[in-house]
């Protein structure tokens, strides 16, 4: 098994060897079964000496040579004690991973370009495990997240992974590794979870202000069940109402009497509708446009207004609240130019 | 725990030294604690070198470790790379100045220690930490160049443990694992590795040095190949052990225990040296000594410390030595047993000796000529005195033996005294000693005796070696100390051969008969202890030496010969080193296979709770109860009640019990076999009902 991070790093190079390696690695990975739960056994744990391990070997050789040359029986004892410990450490390193169960919780959606936290649960049926590092296989070694697993218990680890683009992505191949206890060997496993992760479009960092809401052209309000009226009224809380709409004083009284939360009814005489509109972001590339729309969607939700999404070939009817935001972002994530 | 306690107290000392606010051992941040621990381990590892390192190295190590500890506690910045390079360059220059070379044991150890201390200032990456660990293991080995005693072995075992603990700590990146925890894990790793260590130690083929090891001067050795007056005095105060001897059968009397080392015939006025080796000069093989012996031979076993002399002090007169471990001492015609190279390791010989013997031929041989030479112009008064004695009317027709008796009588009655501190003698030392001051020890008497004999025309020579052994044997081993180093004389009697004459016996019979050495004044503590209870001190010493002897016999002298003996005991008829290698490979492969088998078995091991539930589910399924793979006992109980009604109530109750045992408030550690029994009984009952 040669799926090392080094190979991943060198993949971008136009080196035929690197390409070949990447291909072999891809093929090897594609042979791994996909599963959200993986029991680590001898079949899927790999182990090789680390650089320090080789150095240790050289040190042992030097110690042995010195013992032979100076005829030091205690030198032999020291050398062989270290050799024995090194050998045992290999088994301990392997056993640190062996028998662990890795489980991936359903992944949370996120914006492309921002890290998604993949929640992994490590379960040890037997002894305590120390110094287990997890990361996405392709990620740099510095992104390792370390954890211990208590005896007979579980540990939860959040591994960050940045989806490169919007859309549905398979959760990347993950790897768990350990060098415990002596760092002379590195045992690792490669795991392909089955779950997929939906990445919303990236957010434009400094979007222009939200376009003004448009008055509804005729027809009754389709978004509010309340009657129109000058006076601001209250109504029962509906799921998805933004926090700022809640009439806290009234809500407190209502809660005391056992009733539900109370929201302000912001009906106005002239109903206006807010549209996050593909056409309003003209003049940009497709992804940049979607980024701006995504930023506007968040702004619209923050503003507490009802809003709809208009994309060529896909519209989301106006509504408010978090559900609406998710619906809009999902539509954008999956949108393809007609 | 004691390690931790020791560290805490070290920390306390550190505070006094550093003047930094000490937050308390437990309140330290993890990094600081680990660094301090590593520094303590390094200090402990370097400590035994303190006595043989130059002062500047000690100062450097103390300063660097203290500074690093201060930085760890107060969180300052580490020095830059160039500063480190600068300090290292200074250390190298100082080493050069101190030793005039960078090669060899002492400069090597000095540099390694300096490097290790400086490396602690550069602990940035994991790689740096590993460099410290590996240097640490190397420094541990260098201690064994100086001493392989039990004490050093114990101290270094602690060092190895400390270093392994530090490595383990470095690989527990989460939280703040306790030192005790990491120490236990390290100890466990080492303990599990112990069988491999024992196996390798027993079976790894021992071979001789691969290349010449530079010899270091100034080492304490009992015997050298040359004798100057006064040179044995230092040896005589050295109480370390030169060899141990065990007799098969009764031990000869202490007065008969002469261990024959270099035989010194040439005398240049100040220094006595042996005759050139005959085979070194012309390539002729050495002529074996001719020994005419009387009585039964004494068989014995001699364990020799690394004395760094090529001449093996064997019991007089050893007639045959069984070659051991590739060491085959060959006898010279003056009965020295010589090795092809100086002895740098502990060796055990089996040999046979005749304590009553006459050496050499009765006819005058070549060696007797040189044994009559005296350098002209030295000791004229003694020469004149000796000739006068010979020419005295009463002694004129006497032979060598009669003349020797005259000399011994003179020593006995001439006002001579035995002392280890006779003071300095001048150019004509023998004159001064023999005729004026009359104070000296064995070498003075032997030298004066030989000079007088030669002056009178009788061949004579000095023999150096050891005489006597400790009066009490330690589990059958007699201990010969360096302080038993001795010089005596031999003269040639026409018609007989070489005859031993020990003039020291004439002046201090105790020295020979009871092997009582003249002891230098004891140190303060030993003196106080001795004054309170001399037996206690002696018994402690004996017990300690018994343990030490075991250590020597089992660990330090374990060599090729013993390895082959082990093989012979295992049933190999004529073992060779190929057999050793084969056996080692076989054992290691077996161990590896056992490890792999365990891992394989481990894979098939299932949680006993799961196993129990699976068993119960199989029973339930055969009763027709619907069973899903994910059903907990509670769900199974519900299924049983639903399917079997009141009939299955007992079974359902058992399942409820199982649920409580597994997940309830007082959950059990292991499955309860009682539940299994109930389920089994109920299952049989229900099945037989269904059958009817």
């Amino acid at each position: 098994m040669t799926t090392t991070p080094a190979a991943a790093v060198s993949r971008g190079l136009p080196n035929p060897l690197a390409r070949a390696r990447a291909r072999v690695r891809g093929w090897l990975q594609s042979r791994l079964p996909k599963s959200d739960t993986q029991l680590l056994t001898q079949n899927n744990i790999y182990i090789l000496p680390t650089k320090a391990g080789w150095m240790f070997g050289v040190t042992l050789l030097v110690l042995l040579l010195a013992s032979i040359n100076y005829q030091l029986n205690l030198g032999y004892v020291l050398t062989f004690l270290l050799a024995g410990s090194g050998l045992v450490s290999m088994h301990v390193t392997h056993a640190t991973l062996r028998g662990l169960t890795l489980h991936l919780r359903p992944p949370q959606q996120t914006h492309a370009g921002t890290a998604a936290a993949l929640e992994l649960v490590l379960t040890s049926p037997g002894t305590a495990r120390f110094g287990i590092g997890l990361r996405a296989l392709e990620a740099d070694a510095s992104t390792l997240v370390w954890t211990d697993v208590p005896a007979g218990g579980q540990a939860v680890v959040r591994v960050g992974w940045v989806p490169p683009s919007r859309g549905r992505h398979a959760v990347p191949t993950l790897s768990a590794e350990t060098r415990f206890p002596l760092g002379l060997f590195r045992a690792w496993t490669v795991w392909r979870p089955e779950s997929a992760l939906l990445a919303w479009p990236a957010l434009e960092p400094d979007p222009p202000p939200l376009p003004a809401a448009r008055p509804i052209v005729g027809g009754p309000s389709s978004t509010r069940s309340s009657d129109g009226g000058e006076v601001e009224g209250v109504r029962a809380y509906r799921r998805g109402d933004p926090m700022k709409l809640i009439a806290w004083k009234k809500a407190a009284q209502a809660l005391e009497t056992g009733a539900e939360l109370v929201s302000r009814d912001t009906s106005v005489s002239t109903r206006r509708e807010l549209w996050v509109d593909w056409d309003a972001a003209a003049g940009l590339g497709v992804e940049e446009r979607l980024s701006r729309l995504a930023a506007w969607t968040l702004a619209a939700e923050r503003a507490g207004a009802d809003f709809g999404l208009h994309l060529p070939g896909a519209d989301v009817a106006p509504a408010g609240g978090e559900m609406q935001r998710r619906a809009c972002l999902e539509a954008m994530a999956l949108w393809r130019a007609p | 725990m004691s390690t931790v306690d020791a560290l805490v107290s070290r920390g306390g000392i550190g505070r006094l030294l550093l003047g930094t606010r000490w937050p308390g051992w437990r309140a330290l941040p993890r990094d600081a604690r680990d660094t301090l621990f590593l520094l303590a381990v390094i200090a402990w590892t370097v400590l035994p070198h303190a006595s043989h390192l130059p002062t500047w190295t000690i100062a450097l190590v103390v300063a660097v470790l203290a500074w690093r500890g201060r930085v760890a506690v107060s969180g300052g910045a580490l020095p830059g790379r160039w500063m480190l390079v600068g300090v290292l360059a200074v250390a190298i220059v100082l080493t050069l100045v101190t030793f005039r070379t960078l090669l060899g044991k002492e400069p090597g150890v000095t540099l390694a220690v300096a490097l290790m201390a400086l490396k602690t200032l550069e602990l940035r990456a994991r790689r740096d930490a590993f460099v410290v660990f590996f240097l640490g293991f190397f420094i541990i080995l260098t201690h064994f160049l100086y001493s392989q005693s039990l004490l050093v072995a114990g101290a270094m075992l602690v060092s190895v443990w400390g270093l392994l603990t530090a490595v383990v700590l470095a690989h527990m990146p989460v939280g703040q694992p306790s030192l005790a925890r990491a120490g236990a894990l390290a100890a466990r790793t080492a303990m599990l590795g112990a069988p491999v260590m024992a196996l390798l130690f027993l079976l790894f083929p021992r071979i001789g040095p691969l290349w010449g090891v530079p010899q270091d001067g100034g080492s304490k050795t009992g015997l050298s190949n040359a004798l100057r007056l006064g040179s044995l005095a230092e040896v005589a105060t050295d109480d370390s052990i030169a060899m141990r001897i065990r007799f098969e059968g009764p031990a000869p009397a202490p007065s008969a225990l002469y261990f024959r080392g270099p035989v010194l015939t040439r005398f240049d006025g100040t220094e006595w040296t042996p005759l050139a080796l005959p085979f070194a000069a012309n390539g002729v093989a050495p002529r074996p000594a001719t020994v005419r012996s009387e009585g039964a031979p004494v068989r014995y076993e001699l364990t020799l410390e690394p004395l760094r002399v090529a001449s093996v002090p064997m019991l007089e007169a050893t007639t045959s030595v069984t070659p051991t471990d590739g060491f085959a001492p060959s006898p010279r015609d003056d009965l020295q047993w010589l090795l092809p190279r100086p002895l740098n390791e502990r060796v055990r010989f089996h040999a046979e000796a005749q304590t009553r013997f006459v050496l050499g031929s009765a006819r005058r041989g070549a060696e007797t000529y040189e044994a009559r030479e005296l350098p002209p112009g030295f000791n004229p008064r003694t020469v004149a005195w000796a000739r006068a004695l010979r020419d005295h009317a009463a002694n004129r027709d006497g032979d060598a033996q009669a003349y020797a008796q005259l000399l011994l009588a003179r020593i006995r009655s001439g006002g001579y005294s035995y002392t280890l501190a006779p003071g300095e003698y001048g150019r004509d030392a023998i004159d001064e000693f023999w005729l004026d001051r009359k104070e000296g020890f064995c070498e003075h008497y032997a030298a004066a005796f030989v000079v007088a004999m030669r002056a009178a025309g009788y061949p004579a020579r000095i023999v150096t070696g050891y005489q006597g052994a400790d009066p009490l044997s330690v589990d059958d081993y007699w201990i010969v100390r360096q302080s038993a180093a001795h010089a005596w004389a031999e003269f040639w009697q026409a018609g007989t051969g070489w005859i031993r004459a020990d003039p020291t016996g004439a002046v201090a019979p105790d020295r020979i008969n009871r092997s009582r050495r003249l002891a230098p004044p004891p140190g303060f503590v030993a003196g106080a202890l001795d004054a309170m209870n001399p037996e206690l001190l002696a018994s402690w010493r004996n017990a300690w030496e018994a343990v030490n002897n075991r250590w020597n016999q089992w660990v330090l002298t374990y060599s090729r010969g013993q390895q082959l003996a082990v093989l012979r005991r295992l049933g190999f008829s004529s073992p060779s080193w190929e057999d050793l290698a084969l056996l080692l490979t076989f054992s290691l492969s077996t161990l590896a296979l056992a490890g792999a088998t365990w891992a394989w078995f481990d894979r098939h091991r299932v949680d006993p709770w799961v196993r129990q539930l699976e068993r119960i589910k199989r029973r339930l399924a055969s009763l027709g109860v619907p069973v899903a793979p994910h059903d907990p006992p509670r769900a199974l109980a519900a299924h049983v009640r639903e399917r079997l009604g009141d009939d299955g109530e007992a079974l359902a109750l058992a399942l409820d019990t199982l649920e409580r045992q597994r997940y309830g408030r007082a959950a059990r550690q292991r499955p309860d076999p009682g539940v299994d029994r109930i389920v089994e009984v109920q299952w049989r009952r229900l099945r037989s009902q269904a059958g009817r």
Side-chain angles (χ1 to χ4, degrees):
Chain A
M1 199 67 192
T2 54
T3 49
T4 59
V9 170
S10 59
R11 193 170 62 152
L13 299 175
N15 179 347
L17 190 69
R19 256 211 308 270
R21 281 174 77 176
R23 183 166 281 186
V24 168
R25 198 190 35 146
W27 175 74
L28 282 172
Q29 275 192 31
S30 70
R31 294 180 66 240
L32 295 173
K34 280 188 160 189
S35 165
D36 277 351
T37 303
Q38 169 137 325
L39 174 66
L40 301 185
T41 65
Q42 266 172 313
N43 292 347
N44 46 25
I45 301 175
Y46 316 108
I47 185 164
L48 277 181
T50 56
K51 246 184 224 164
W54 290 114
M55 280 276 294
F56 184 71
V58 172
T59 307
L60 285 186
L61 206 64
V62 171
L63 292 182
L64 186 64
L65 278 182
S67 305
I68 289 175
N69 244 16
Y70 286 91
Q71 302 280 305
L72 297 172
N73 260 358
L74 270 191
Y76 282 119
V77 170
L78 172 72
T79 312
F80 298 150
L81 177 67
L82 292 178
S85 305
L87 201 67
V88 168
S89 90
M90 179 181 76
H91 283 278
V92 174
T93 306
H94 196 263
T96 299
L97 288 187
R98 199 171 62 225
L100 271 186
T101 307
L102 306 180
H103 173 72
L104 175 70
R105 286 187 180 162
Q108 300 291 312
Q109 286 123 333
T110 185
H111 294 278
T114 49
L118 305 171
E119 276 195 345
L120 308 175
V121 184
L122 285 74
T123 312
S124 163
T127 51
R129 317 291 176 105
F130 299 99
I132 297 169
L134 296 121
R135 61 170 170 162
L137 184 63
E138 317 254 311
D140 191 68
S142 61
T143 62
L144 277 170
V145 185
W146 296 99
T147 185
D148 292 346
V149 185
Q154 292 190 328
V156 179
V157 182
R158 284 183 187 77
V159 174
W161 175 66
V162 181
S165 62
R166 72 189 171 88
R168 199 175 290 280
H169 294 280
V171 168
T173 308
L174 299 174
S175 91
E177 66 168 85
T178 184
R179 288 161 197 250
F180 180 83
L182 299 185
L184 308 179
F185 293 89
R186 170 174 171 268
W188 77 99
T189 185
V190 178
W191 168 37
R192 279 211 309 170
E194 199 177 9
S195 295
L197 182 151
L198 189 67
W200 301 319
L203 291 175
E204 191 176 6
D206 246 338
L210 206 55
R214 290 180 303 202
I216 297 175
V217 188
S221 160
S222 58
T223 59
R224 293 274 172 189
S225 57
S226 60
D227 300 321
E230 297 290 324
V231 184
E232 200 175 70
V234 293
R235 57 171 172 79
Y237 172 81
R238 277 195 304 243
R239 215 176 145 202
D241 280 349
M243 300 264 271
K244 60 192 282 186
L245 268 191
I246 293 171
W248 289 109
K249 274 187 188 162
K250 286 217 167 79
Q253 291 165 357
L255 280 177
E256 255 174 25
T257 58
E260 288 184 342
L261 279 173
V262 183
S263 294
R264 246 178 238 118
D265 204 347
T266 56
S267 45
V268 286
S269 56
T270 320
R271 298 201 52 80
R272 300 168 81 85
E273 265 182 353
L274 185 57
W275 281 91
V276 176
D277 194 347
W278 172 263
D279 299 324
L284 295 169
V286 174
E287 295 304 321
E288 289 78 10
R289 246 172 153 170
L290 287 170
S291 291
R292 177 162 298 174
L293 296 191
W296 279 348
T297 306
L298 262 60
E301 195 218 352
R302 269 199 303 275
D306 280 7
F307 60 95
L309 172 70
H310 171 68
L311 293 172
D315 277 10
V316 178
E322 195 192 329
M323 298 303 283
Q324 173 70 359
R325 171 176 62 92
R326 284 176 168 273
C328 294
L329 288 173
E330 270 181 39
M332 281 186 272
L334 297 173
W335 181 78
R336 299 213 183 285
Chain B
M1 274 327 278
S2 60
T3 333
V4 178
D5 291 344
L7 286 169
V8 172
S9 69
R10 254 170 223 281
I13 295 165
R15 172 184 48 179
L16 291 178
L17 277 177
L18 307 172
T20 312
R21 197 180 55 81
W22 175 249
W25 185 249
R26 294 191 186 280
L28 271 181
R30 161 117 196 246
D31 275 357
R33 186 200 64 175
D34 290 0
T35 308
L36 284 185
F37 176 69
L38 185 59
L39 292 179
V41 171
I42 291 173
W44 175 263
T45 307
V46 173
L47 191 66
H49 269 320
S51 60
H52 30 76
L53 283 180
T55 322
W56 63 262
T57 321
I58 308 292
L60 179 76
V61 170
V62 169
V64 167
L65 292 188
W67 187 21
R68 186 63 182 87
R70 191 195 165 95
V71 167
V73 174
S74 64
L78 288 175
R81 167 149 293 194
W82 286 114
M83 174 159 175
L84 285 181
V85 171
V87 178
L88 185 60
V90 169
I92 290 175
V93 167
L94 279 175
T95 310
L96 260 178
V97 168
T98 315
F99 298 103
R100 317 226 164 267
T101 171
L102 287 182
L103 301 174
K105 185 171 80 179
E106 307 269 347
V109 171
T110 307
L111 272 183
V113 168
L115 207 61
M116 170 109 151
L118 288 177
K119 195 68 199 169
T120 61
L121 293 178
E122 213 193 15
L123 285 177
R124 292 197 176 90
R126 186 190 274 151
R127 195 177 57 97
D128 296 327
F130 270 110
V131 170
V132 168
F133 299 140
F134 295 157
L135 263 177
F137 293 137
F138 194 70
I139 288 177
I140 288 174
L141 185 85
T142 60
H143 287 301
F144 302 147
L145 293 173
Y146 295 93
S147 164
Q148 299 193 70
S149 70
L150 255 180
L151 215 63
V152 170
M156 289 307 108
L157 190 65
V158 172
S159 269
V160 171
W161 186 29
L163 283 173
L164 286 180
T165 303
V167 183
V168 170
L169 263 184
H171 289 94
M172 297 172 83
V174 184
Q176 179 135 3
S178 73
L179 285 181
R181 184 94 198 239
L185 285 166
R188 186 168 155 263
T189 308
M191 299 267 244
L192 289 174
V196 177
M197 175 193 78
L199 203 66
L200 280 168
F201 184 77
L202 278 178
L203 298 181
F204 183 82
R206 296 296 199 278
I207 41 181
L210 301 178
W211 60 86
V213 178
Q215 284 309 308
D216 298 280
S219 53
K220 272 202 259 179
T221 57
L223 295 177
S224 64
N225 246 355
L227 180 83
R228 283 164 188 278
L229 286 192
S231 65
L232 268 184
E234 192 192 328
V235 174
T237 56
D238 176 7
D239 236 3
S240 64
I241 292 171
M243 53 191 173
R244 295 175 171 83
I245 185 167
R246 186 167 68 173
F247 295 100
E248 295 165 15
S255 58
L257 293 180
Y258 281 85
F259 299 92
R260 189 178 181 97
V263 178
L264 311 174
T265 308
R266 286 212 172 120
F267 182 44
D268 66 356
T270 51
E271 195 173 54
W272 298 80
T273 48
L275 287 177
L277 300 180
F279 54 88
N282 49 22
V284 178
R287 279 177 301 145
T290 47
V291 177
R292 292 189 307 284
S293 51
E294 307 158 22
V298 179
R299 294 194 53 76
Y300 67 96
E301 176 199 306
L302 190 76
T303 309
L304 207 59
E305 298 289 310
L307 296 176
R308 308 201 176 180
V309 285
S311 177
V312 187
M314 301 299 273
L315 187 64
E316 276 193 342
T318 293
T319 47
S320 71
V321 177
T322 316
T324 336
D325 310 346
F327 290 98
S330 51
R332 260 173 62 147
D333 59 351
D334 57 6
L335 205 57
Q336 279 191 72
W337 288 85
L338 288 183
L339 286 169
R341 60 183 172 82
L343 202 61
N344 289 317
E345 60 211 278
R346 205 172 270 103
V347 185
R348 206 185 299 173
F349 290 113
H350 290 269
E352 213 176 82
Q354 301 282 351
T355 47
R356 298 179 60 195
F357 66 98
V358 177
L359 173 66
S361 71
R363 273 180 296 160
R364 176 162 291 208
E367 81 274 12
T368 57
Y369 290 102
E370 266 204 83
R372 287 197 308 176
E373 298 283 316
L374 277 178
F378 282 92
N379 306 309
R381 288 161 55 214
T382 307
V383 171
W385 177 89
R387 286 190 181 141
L389 182 66
R390 183 197 58 191
D391 296 340
H392 194 271
N395 310 324
R396 194 161 301 172
D397 342 310
D399 55 6
Q401 195 146 17
Y403 189 77
Q405 289 306 324
L406 285 180
L407 292 179
L408 293 180
R410 149 111 186 162
I411 292 171
R412 242 175 256 123
S413 57
Y416 290 89
S417 65
Y418 183 88
T419 170
L420 271 181
E424 287 281 309
Y425 280 107
R427 177 177 178 273
D428 292 322
I430 306 292
D431 275 1
E432 213 177 317
F433 163 71
W434 189 248
L435 300 171
D436 306 338
R437 284 165 53 184
K438 303 186 177 178
E439 282 185 336
F441 53 99
C442 54
E443 58 186 26
H444 298 91
Y445 288 96
F449 180 87
V450 170
V451 167
M453 288 296 283
R454 287 185 180 186
Y458 303 114
R461 59 195 183 190
I462 294 182
V463 184
T464 56
Y466 297 92
Q467 200 281 321
D470 273 12
L472 279 177
S473 71
V474 176
D475 42 353
D476 273 358
Y477 283 89
W478 297 82
I479 290 173
V480 178
R481 296 178 189 282
Q482 292 287 23
S483 51
H486 190 50
W488 61 94
E490 262 181 356
F491 61 89
W492 188 78
Q493 168 68 46
T496 310
W498 290 96
I499 295 174
R500 179 167 70 211
D502 193 344
T504 315
V507 64
D510 257 11
R511 166 70 184 82
I512 307 304
N513 292 335
R514 279 191 254 151
S515 300
R516 183 182 293 165
R517 302 173 302 278
L518 275 196
F524 175 71
V525 175
L529 262 176
D530 214 24
M532 271 174 0
N533 191 346
E535 285 90 17
L536 182 71
L537 192 67
S539 72
W540 279 358
R541 191 167 136 161
N542 277 344
W544 170 242
E545 267 162 14
V547 172
N548 237 333
N549 183 41
R550 290 273 157 75
W551 173 250
N552 279 320
Q553 298 296 331
W554 290 107
V555 180
L556 299 189
T557 53
Y558 188 80
S559 58
R560 189 81 174 267
Q562 274 92 320
Q563 277 188 320
L564 298 183
V566 165
L567 281 198
R568 231 169 271 131
R569 218 171 299 154
L570 287 177
F572 287 77
S573 52
S574 56
S576 63
W577 74 266
E578 286 95 341
D579 292 334
L580 273 178
L582 215 67
L583 191 61
L584 183 62
T585 318
F586 176 74
S587 317
L588 286 181
S589 326
T590 311
L591 261 183
L593 262 180
T597 313
W598 167 250
W600 178 81
F601 171 72
D602 202 34
R603 181 182 152 205
H604 291 276
R605 256 188 337 163
V606 180
D607 184 0
W609 286 106
V610 174
R611 216 159 43 207
Q612 184 191 35
L613 198 61
E614 290 298 322
R615 237 178 359 241
I616 293 174
K617 278 180 180 170
R618 276 198 302 276
R619 296 264 185 271
L620 294 183
S622 76
L623 290 174
V625 176
V627 168
H630 55 262
D631 276 341
R634 179 167 32 97
L636 292 177
H639 292 323
V640 167
R641 288 198 173 97
E642 195 178 294
R643 175 91 191 186
L644 303 172
D646 289 344
D647 235 9
E649 187 56 29
L651 194 54
L653 282 175
L655 286 167
D656 285 338
T657 313
L658 176 59
E659 173 89 11
R660 273 197 306 281
Q661 286 175 351
R662 183 84 169 97
Y663 305 110
R665 189 158 302 190
R668 292 166 57 98
Q669 282 285 325
R670 309 209 135 262
D672 178 12
V675 171
D676 277 325
R677 274 197 296 277
I678 296 174
V679 170
E680 179 76 17
V681 167
Q682 292 299 320
W683 173 68
R684 279 177 200 284
R685 187 177 63 80
L686 289 166
R687 204 180 44 167
S688 64
Q689 272 180 13
R692 253 182 275 133

